[in-house]
Amino acid sequence: MPTLAIHADRSASGTLRFPAHPIDGRAGTSFKHQHLPSILADGDRDDGFFEIHAENYMGAGGPPHAALTRIREDYPVSLHGVCMSIGGPQPLDGAHLGRFAELVERYEPAIVSEHLAWSTHNTTYYNDLLPLPYTEATLRRVAEHIDEVQEAIRRPLLLENPSTYVLFKESTMSETAFIREIVRRTGCGLLLDINNVFVSATNQDFSALEYLSDYPLEHVGEIHLAGHAEQEDDEDDRLLIDSHDGPVADAVWRLFDIVVGRCGPIPTLVEWDSAIPEWPVLKAEATAAQAILDRCAASRERMHANA
């Protein structure tokens, strides 16, 4: 297995420092076990990567680990947590965090990420990633939890912006201001989910471009793209659901192109988690993302050459 571990060092001030990315400028996809035979038969060992959801691999062994071990022989992976409940009011589940850290050590992922959300109450785990009020109290709690995770995994965590369907009147700051302060306090990085930005902007009636202009793009270590479903709410207004069950929408591709133009070719992951298509369909989404990343890289090379 190739070594692709990223271990964060701390400066004299205690700030986590990010080493170079082994998957810079590459596009990847969610790893689904049913695709393994097609991926291996494809024979196309490009520079892409695969993302796994940590909670699917918290057992000691069995078919999930066998499949992941096989894919890890040829590709780097990113580890994406969905149940850490970073924003929850209660302490982090120590056993869950321990299993998470063991996965990081076992598979040496290129990227480790979690959500700015909560999903537990006492001993109850919800299937949804629930939103937070953006207040000073929430800020302190989230920062403490991120510090705890980063100490356990011995590297920086990337924090993903949520898709939202409601707003809290208790909030005293914008989402972008909250995220910027989290980065300042913890030294974590960011996972920018552009589909989430578009979903939230549509549902909350704000400008996705203005949100991105205020977002701390300089701290983004990974981008997520995904499909969404379109519905109507009780007042017959347009409502988008972050469903991950279809191709990336044209509007999201356009936002991605803008973000990459500003930030450069950041590692990009196409999520597709339900109504999963055949491997060539998912691979084509990653290929489309790679084309945009490559075009950005070539443009930057030309600018550098002409400088």
Side-chain angles (χ1 to χ4, degrees):
M1 181 182 296
T3 300
L4 292 168
I6 297 179
H7 296 293
D9 296 324
R10 286 189 181 271
S11 66
S13 65
T15 301
L16 284 161
R17 296 181 299 182
F18 288 73
H21 248 303
I23 55 173
D24 271 342
R26 308 312 303 174
T29 68
S30 304
F31 175 56
K32 305 304 178 187
H33 298 164
Q34 60 264 47
H35 290 157
L36 180 60
S38 297
I39 294 169
L40 298 179
D42 196 345
D44 183 11
R45 298 294 186 268
D46 60 16
D47 294 324
F49 67 101
F50 289 95
E51 182 176 89
I52 61 168
H53 286 173
E55 287 73 16
N56 292 333
Y57 299 90
M58 287 191 169
H65 281 288
L68 179 54
T69 298
R70 178 63 188 88
I71 208 70
R72 184 64 181 82
E73 292 176 0
D74 296 318
Y75 296 93
V77 299
S78 60
L79 182 69
H80 191 49
V82 296
C83 291
M84 191 70 71
S85 204
I86 289 284
Q90 63 195 50
L92 297 181
D93 184 325
H96 182 93
L97 178 56
R99 292 190 293 269
F100 190 85
E102 288 172 2
L103 282 172
V104 172
E105 182 175 2
R106 180 173 183 175
Y107 289 106
E108 299 180 327
I111 296 171
V112 183
S113 58
E114 248 291 354
H115 297 83
L116 178 58
W118 65 279
S119 55
T120 62
H121 179 66
N122 294 328
T123 59
T124 301
Y125 284 76
Y126 299 100
N127 290 326
D128 295 311
L129 295 164
L130 303 170
L132 308 169
Y134 296 130
T135 65
E136 178 60 32
T138 306
L139 189 60
R140 288 195 302 270
R141 183 170 65 250
V142 171
E144 289 171 359
H145 287 169
I146 291 175
D147 285 342
E148 186 177 353
V149 174
Q150 292 185 145
E151 288 295 333
I153 65 177
R154 299 184 297 118
R155 65 170 73 190
L157 180 75
L158 302 190
L159 187 67
E160 179 181 342
N161 56 292
S163 56
T164 57
Y165 309 93
V166 296
L167 296 177
F168 290 88
K169 64 181 181 181
E170 294 88 352
S171 292
T172 57
M173 64 189 84
S174 68
E175 183 171 285
T176 51
F178 185 95
I179 290 172
R180 187 180 299 106
E181 183 62 14
I182 284 291
V183 172
R184 189 191 70 80
R185 295 191 186 191
T186 68
C188 75
L190 298 175
L191 193 169
L192 174 59
D193 191 311
I194 296 178
N195 184 64
N196 285 359
V197 172
F198 183 74
V199 166
S200 298
T202 300
N203 292 341
Q204 309 297 344
D205 194 25
F206 63 81
S207 166
L209 286 175
E210 289 181 6
Y211 177 100
L212 292 169
S213 294
D214 196 43
Y215 192 88
L217 294 174
E218 66 274 16
H219 297 290
V220 174
E222 184 184 11
I223 290 172
H224 271 185
L225 303 172
H228 56 257
E230 185 166 343
Q231 301 179 7
E232 292 182 349
D233 62 17
D234 292 340
E235 297 178 350
D236 297 327
D237 290 328
R238 187 183 183 200
L239 176 68
L240 300 187
I241 306 297
D242 181 35
S243 54
H244 297 188
D245 62 352
V248 179
D250 289 344
V252 175
W253 281 122
R254 289 192 291 271
L255 290 173
F256 175 57
D257 205 344
I258 292 170
V259 168
V260 171
R262 295 176 182 174
C263 298
I266 293 171
T268 298
L269 193 285
V270 178
E271 298 180 291
W272 200 318
D273 296 319
S274 60
I276 298 169
E278 295 298 316
W279 167 241
V281 176
L282 184 52
K283 180 182 178 181
E285 292 285 283
T287 300
Q290 189 65 64
I292 294 173
L293 295 171
D294 290 345
R295 186 172 70 243
C296 172
S299 175
R300 287 183 168 235
E301 288 178 4
R302 289 193 298 270
M303 289 176 61
H304 180 74
N306 294 330

